[in-house]
Amino acid sequence: MTPKEVIEFAQKNGARQMDLRFTDLPGLSQHISYPIGQLEEDSFEDGFGIDGSSIRGWAAINESDMLLIPDATTAQMDPFFEVPTLTMVADVIDPITRQRYDRDPRWIAKKAEMYLQNSGVADTAYVGAEAEFFVFDNIRFDQNQHSSYYFIDAEEGRWNSGRETNNLGYRPRYKEGYFPLPPTDHYQNLRAEMVEVMLSMGLHIECHHHEVATGGQCEIDQRFDTLLKSADNMMKYKYVVRNVANRHGKTVTFMPKPIFGDNGSGMHCHLSLWKGGTPLFAGDGYAGLSQMAMWFIGGLLKHARGLAAIIAPTTNSYKRLVPGYEAPVNLAYSRRNRSAAVRIPMYSASPKAKRVEFRPPDPSANPYLTFAALLMAGLDGVINRIDPGEPLDKDIYDLAPEELKKVPSMPASLDEALNCLEEDHEFLLKGDVFTEELLEAFIGYKRKAEAEAVRLRPHPYEFALYYDI
């Protein structure tokens, strides 16, 4: 829609308020609302002023004035607010220079698309991301000077099988939640409602199902789209999932590993390059791939350790990325094999379906930064013709120790991942897509607010290990 059409759309739908949304550096949606009378055609150029000093990872208080510029193409009515509300995604502008704000994650995704087009390699990057999540009935947690705990409960959790009252059984066993029918799958109707809301908001949904873990692990798959749209759609996806669950008295988490001893949640990312409407990853090479696709894989594998802090950006991410468990930490590629970091799906022989799947990311990641960083790594592989080596078609989890030593792996902690990003980020700076200043801010925030904060605090399990030492 044009700005004029947005205003007409708001009037037609009886909008009484407008809500502008943007994303902070760690990847959480933020918003601010206005009476609809504040929206005029000039607003799409003049913007709306906000204080950015309290936004995580953003400007210092002495440089905190920001402008939000509504993106007319994202306008739609909110399905959850009681007062009819028009929503739009906003881009962040520096009010002094009128330039895009370099710490706005959406701007980084836009720059990645521009860099791709200017490179001549391709004109379009498609991304399809599969974000998994847990649905819980109750969550309690606290951390202070003298105590630390969390307590999760879910009606579907296998741990409730011995409950004395209101117990009807039918709960997925640990690591056996893929794909039982209801009533063992407790959330068919809840997911179906989420899908209906997503469809009404313009998302293209392909399927939904229970995931492997007990305790309400689910997945709803979106159809691929261009890089920026896929990132916008992922933010919308999370918004819908949380709010539909909330109105049913449930709570959703995208934490990668909330339950010990069961599968964690990933965000597998499917990537492909196109030019002039033609797919570039289809060929007559390994698994039906082109040479360009092989080089793209080479870039992903070469820079995977540097990517880790962006695509698996929490301390909890490394409870999922553990050798020998469900997540692919070993940096190899293979067709069909889900134990490899890069998998080539073989569902279809159509050139349009040919893509590569990068499996280490998880849904705690900021999608704008993640999709942009993955594209930059893959493009570096194409431009520099990085050979990914030989495929590894064996089950990596069953490799002998001497074989496994030859396969590089993802970092084992957020601290290590941040060090890897400091050492390997030149590929992200090409075309000024990421900047040194942004990466320094991201690393500094993650190191102090998360990695160091967790490291400083006693862990409850340490008492079990050491109290009587």
Side-chain angles (χ1 to χ4, degrees), residues 149 169 250 254:
Y149 72 91
K250 310 288 184 183
F254 289 94

Side-chain angles (χ1 to χ4, degrees), residues 35-53:
I36 196 65
Q38 295 282 79
L39 181 66
E40 302 173 344
E41 285 192 54
D42 289 346
S43 303
F44 293 85
E45 291 187 7
D46 297 340
F48 295 85
I50 63 163
D51 173 8
S53 63

